[in-house]
Amino acid sequence: MAKKKKWEYSPAPESKQPAAIAGRYELFINGKWQKPSSGTYFNSINPATEEKLSEIATANETDVNKAVQAAKQAYEKYWKKISPTERGKYIFRIARIMQERARELAVTETLDGGKPIRESRDFDIPTAANHFFYYAGWADKLDFAFPNKKANSLGVAGQITPWNFPLLMAAWKIAPALATGNTVVLKPAETTSLTTLKLAEIIQEAELPPGVVNIITGDGQTGAWLTKHNDVNKIAFTGSTEVGKIIQRSLAGSQKKLTLELGGKGANIIFEDAPIDQAVEGVVNGIFFNQGHVCCAGSRLYVQESIAKKFIQKLKDRIGTLLVGDPMDKNTDIGAINSAQQLKTIQAYIKIGKAEGATFFETDCVLPKKGFFCRPTLFTNVAQSNRIAQEEIFGPVLSILTFRTDDEVIEKANNSPYGLSAGIWTDKGARIFNLSKRIRAGVIWANTYNLFDPTSPFGGYKESGFGREGGLQGLHPYVQLS
Ligand code: NAD
Ligand code: MN
């Protein structure tokens, strides 16, 4: 039988025009756009259409050296000398220009990365601007953040970001580094560099002294040169556990400070006394938000046995209504998978899940012919030891397990190499306290999921990394206390 759309909405596409994407981007070093010494460029495509959007400079070792030297000089010459209040003013200025250019940034983020425009417009861009506002406020209040201590800046921060929340991750990294008086060299992920390059334009527009923030583009090799550079004093990395381990090994024995924000396999736990319809929404938001390209996604669902049948049926009915398709359409719930390679990884895990004997379910929505798309997918009858319950899939694929008691679900939730996030849905406050104390995860949501705020710290346990970003805690990795 031919697959039909569940509902028919007239398309409501956002215009591409505000993105104003240039045909080519150079490296942003020492306040200027500089050609790469390699002379080479790579393409960034729109994963929803497979069209080329722009070409982007590849930074080689010479460029990395140049950027780090620029950051070091800017640190010595101006940034460590200016008053904290002045530093704060620059950061406020960045935040305000981001707000002015919000529409352009949102459309660019969606075109380059594939996430629905509704999300980049209502979540990514405003939250990124809020991070700059929040840390701008700390710049001249570090004495209150660290009472009876002096917070000394470190020097040059080398920062590397992933492709799932490109501008937001850049904000998480740059804002606290600047607020504490450090200078920055940042390398975005190769499939989604465009909004970070636009952030470089904003930094230029905000008239930051040259070299205080440098943006260099390229692949993992560029990132490796940056992390190994002797004049970099701190590394902040967000990405896969695999690369995090490589970086940690390469830094062993050096004086560099390091924070790692890595993968996850979040347990979203539903008790029989939970508000069921809200919990269904929370589960949908937990795994299908941003195509499941979320490190803290609720990718393992634990439902109490007594309500499992009813809950899973409601969940299937609900995801049957999700619209998968053009990320630029304001009706779209699930956009494009970020790259052909990521789609392959997700499809490989779907195969593994079937081979492991779990029960497969996907919705019957029609997928666009071009671009990289994946239907919302569930696996039931999953065993705790299955790879789809243990490994990060990073796509819209949910593994569903059941449990009977509190102790059992705590043990199962903790039976994971990761420890980034969890969700607890119950009417009982005492149960929330008990579980959130005993589950080893950096962020635990109660009766909600995937809520973020600049004032609250984020980070992992175990193979999800160490160090915190956001909040007062997010200042620590960028200072030496005396
Ligand atoms: P990735 O590790 O492949 O790449 C991340 C960044 O590291 C990219 O900019 C890449 O170019 C760079 N890189 C690659 N090899 C490098 C090397 N040897 N040295 C230095 N840099 C190198 O990860 P990804 O596929 O871009 O992102 C997805 C992963 O990120 C997922 O595992 C996800 O869970 C994780 N993530 C974690 C968080 C968090 O806060 N914990 C947030 C977002 C994403
Ligand atoms: Mn792209």
Side-chain angles (χ1 to χ4, degrees):
M1 200 178 76
K3 292 193 166 167
K4 297 197 307 272
K5 276 195 183 173
K6 285 271 149 131
W7 336 129
E8 290 292 344
Y9 279 113
S10 301
E14 175 77 28
S15 160
K16 290 181 186 168
Q17 193 240 327
I21 296 170
R24 177 180 266 199
Y25 285 90
E26 311 292 350
L27 306 168
F28 185 68
I29 298 175
N30 209 20
K32 292 191 291 280
W33 294 95
Q34 306 202 18
K35 292 204 181 306
S37 31
S38 65
T40 59
Y41 295 81
F42 60 96
N43 293 341
S44 198
I45 65 156
N46 176 345
T49 61
E50 302 176 51
E51 284 160 352
K52 173 178 165 182
L53 291 170
S54 184
E55 52 190 38
I56 295 168
T58 307
N60 67 10
E61 199 170 3
T62 309
D63 302 311
V64 174
N65 287 340
K66 244 167 92 178
V68 174
Q69 287 325 311
K72 192 178 171 184
Q73 265 196 22
Y75 176 71
E76 299 294 343
K77 263 182 38 201
Y78 336 93
W79 203 242
K80 77 171 187 192
K81 292 185 188 156
I82 68 168
S83 76
T85 318
E86 283 303 306
R87 269 196 333 249
K89 281 189 202 164
Y90 281 113
I91 308 169
F92 275 122
R93 217 183 273 169
I94 296 171
R96 284 195 302 266
I97 304 173
M98 282 175 84
Q99 286 185 322
E100 281 166 24
R101 293 175 63 169
R103 180 131 183 256
E104 171 192 351
L105 293 168
V107 174
T108 305
E109 200 73 301
T110 284
L111 289 173
D112 199 19
K115 64 178 66 198
I117 185 70
R118 229 169 44 205
E119 276 170 23
S120 41
R121 183 195 61 196
D122 300 344
F123 176 70
D124 290 64
I125 310 307
T127 316
N130 282 345
H131 266 269
F132 279 101
F133 277 119
Y134 175 73
Y135 280 108
W138 274 121
D140 61 356
K141 300 174 197 70
L142 296 179
D143 291 346
F144 300 96
F146 305 103
N148 305 318
K149 303 253 187 222
K150 186 172 182 308
N152 306 290
S153 53
L154 304 173
V156 178
Q159 309 182 321
I160 296 172
T161 53
W163 44 257
N164 57 346
F165 293 95
L167 187 68
L168 182 58
M169 291 298 111
W172 279 27
K173 297 206 160 15
I174 295 175
L178 295 183
T180 46
N182 302 282
T183 57
V184 168
V185 179
L186 182 141
K187 189 203 86 67
E190 47 273 47
T191 57
T192 55
S193 305
L194 293 177
T195 47
T196 308
L197 290 161
K198 285 184 181 282
L199 180 58
E201 294 173 358
I202 289 169
I203 281 161
Q204 216 175 12
E205 210 180 320
E207 295 178 356
L208 258 77
V212 171
V213 177
N214 305 274
I215 305 292
I216 53 171
T217 41
D219 59 10
Q221 180 61 63
T222 307
W225 281 316
L226 178 59
T227 55
K228 285 182 194 147
H229 201 292
N230 281 333
D231 289 328
V232 171
N233 307 93
K234 189 237 155 17
I235 297 291
F237 172 80
T238 298
S240 60
T241 296
E242 190 192 343
V243 174
K245 286 179 180 174
I246 296 174
I247 293 176
Q248 196 174 11
R249 268 198 295 273
S250 80
L251 261 57
S254 82
Q255 297 293 312
K256 284 174 204 160
K257 270 199 165 194
L258 174 66
T259 42
L260 297 174
E261 301 272 14
L262 309 175
K265 192 76 186 176
N268 208 352
I269 303 168
I270 321 292
F271 285 93
E272 61 186 6
D273 64 349
I276 298 297
D277 292 322
Q278 283 100 311
V280 168
E281 284 310 304
V283 170
V284 169
N285 178 35
I287 182 67
F288 300 117
F289 167 53
N290 201 33
Q291 297 67 250
H293 297 336
V294 183
C295 49
C296 51
S299 52
R300 283 184 292 161
L301 175 64
Y302 290 96
V303 194
Q304 202 157 22
E305 215 173 82
S306 48
I307 56 159
K309 212 173 148 209
K310 177 175 154 199
F311 192 88
I312 293 166
Q313 190 53 53
K314 274 185 180 259
L315 186 60
K316 286 180 178 171
D317 292 346
R318 175 65 180 97
I319 68 173
T321 68
L322 294 174
L323 298 173
V324 182
D326 180 9
M328 290 290 278
D329 192 321
K330 296 176 205 89
N331 296 319
T332 294
D333 297 302
I334 300 184
I337 301 302
N338 186 264
S339 64
Q341 196 194 341
Q342 186 57 29
L343 182 58
K344 246 197 214 155
T345 304
I346 296 167
Q347 286 165 343
Y349 272 110
I350 291 177
K351 258 200 193 142
I352 289 168
K354 289 176 179 169
E356 284 178 319
T359 309
F360 168 79
F361 172 85
E362 63 174 3
T363 67
D364 62 359
C365 59
V366 179
L367 298 184
K369 291 206 174 53
K370 276 220 142 164
F372 317 127
F373 291 91
C374 179
R375 296 195 178 89
T377 302
L378 306 179
F379 278 105
T380 49
N381 298 314
V382 177
Q384 181 72 28
S385 59
N386 286 168
R387 287 183 63 190
I388 56 166
Q390 291 289 334
E391 298 175 19
E392 185 182 48
I393 301 174
F394 225 56
V397 180
L398 178 64
S399 301
I400 306 179
L401 299 94
T402 58
F403 70 95
R404 289 185 185 168
T405 67
D406 294 30
D407 285 347
E408 181 192 346
V409 77
I410 291 167
E411 200 178 312
K412 284 180 164 171
N414 284 335
N415 180 345
S416 165
Y418 295 113
L420 193 56
S421 60
I424 305 166
W425 297 80
T426 173
D427 194 34
K428 264 197 174 150
R431 181 176 267 154
I432 292 171
F433 284 121
N434 179 32
L435 265 78
S436 57
K437 263 203 250 157
R438 291 168 58 198
I439 290 176
R440 303 301 285 164
V443 188
I444 300 183
W445 286 288
N447 295 322
T448 185
Y449 208 92
N450 273 342
L451 269 193
F452 300 91
D453 190 279
T455 63
S456 58
F458 184 91
Y461 284 93
K462 302 192 274 188
E463 290 198 11
S464 294
F466 48 79
R468 295 292 178 263
E469 291 185 310
L472 175 57
Q473 290 81 353
L475 295 166
H476 280 260
Y478 290 97
V479 296
Q480 197 82 57
L481 297 178
S482 62

